[in-house]
Amino acid sequence: MSTTTVEIETSVVDAVRAAIAARNEGMAQAEDADRSGWNRALIDQAIDAFALTGQPFSSNDLRHLLPDDVPGALMGARFSAAVTGKRIRFVGYTPSTKQNTHGKPVNVYVGRVQAD
């Protein structure tokens, strides 16, 4: 069996690293802006409720349960925390139903089965 090595230009690698750093900074700023923790708690509760159903879900499903002014970056940060905490796992994409996103793909998740 042969192995193929693919060389990626340093500029591309640097651009991806910069994009990831900017995403992480944006999520951190959204977390910091929610000083009371109220929106974090609401989002986490909604994520956990959908995860318990065992059915696929996305931010589309949560949006109507949350205040209109919840920042998208905070929603992303809380989904990321749920993945890191192994409460949910990524399973695919679906178009966003939020009008100003113009159908941009959003992640779809399912809850992880917790062993007793």
Side-chain angles (χ1 to χ4, degrees):
M1 181 164 156
S2 66
T3 302
T4 303
T5 302
V6 177
E7 297 277 334
I8 300 175
E9 289 184 42
T10 303
S11 61
V12 173
V13 173
D14 290 342
V16 170
R17 284 185 181 138
I20 290 169
R23 177 205 62 196
N24 292 344
E25 177 61 25
M27 289 192 307
Q29 287 176 2
E31 292 269 357
D32 291 344
D34 184 32
R35 299 208 188 283
S36 71
W38 180 262
N39 285 330
R40 273 180 290 200
L42 288 174
I43 295 168
D44 287 352
Q45 186 177 23
I47 289 171
D48 291 343
F50 276 95
L52 286 173
T53 70
Q55 298 298 311
F57 68 98
S58 72
S59 57
N60 293 334
D61 300 302
L62 275 65
R63 208 171 283 116
H64 73 280
L65 300 172
L66 302 170
D68 292 336
D69 62 348
V70 169
L74 182 58
M75 182 92 81
R78 299 320 302 157
F79 270 97
S80 181
V83 169
T84 301
K86 300 192 185 307
R87 298 180 356 245
I88 60 175
R89 66 181 173 86
F90 170 81
V91 295
Y93 299 98
T94 193
S96 174
T97 57
K98 191 172 180 181
Q99 189 172 5
N100 69 346
T101 62
H102 309 289
K104 175 184 165 247
V106 294
N107 293 354
V108 176
Y109 303 91
V110 294
R112 291 188 177 262
V113 176
Q114 300 296 321
D116 292 325

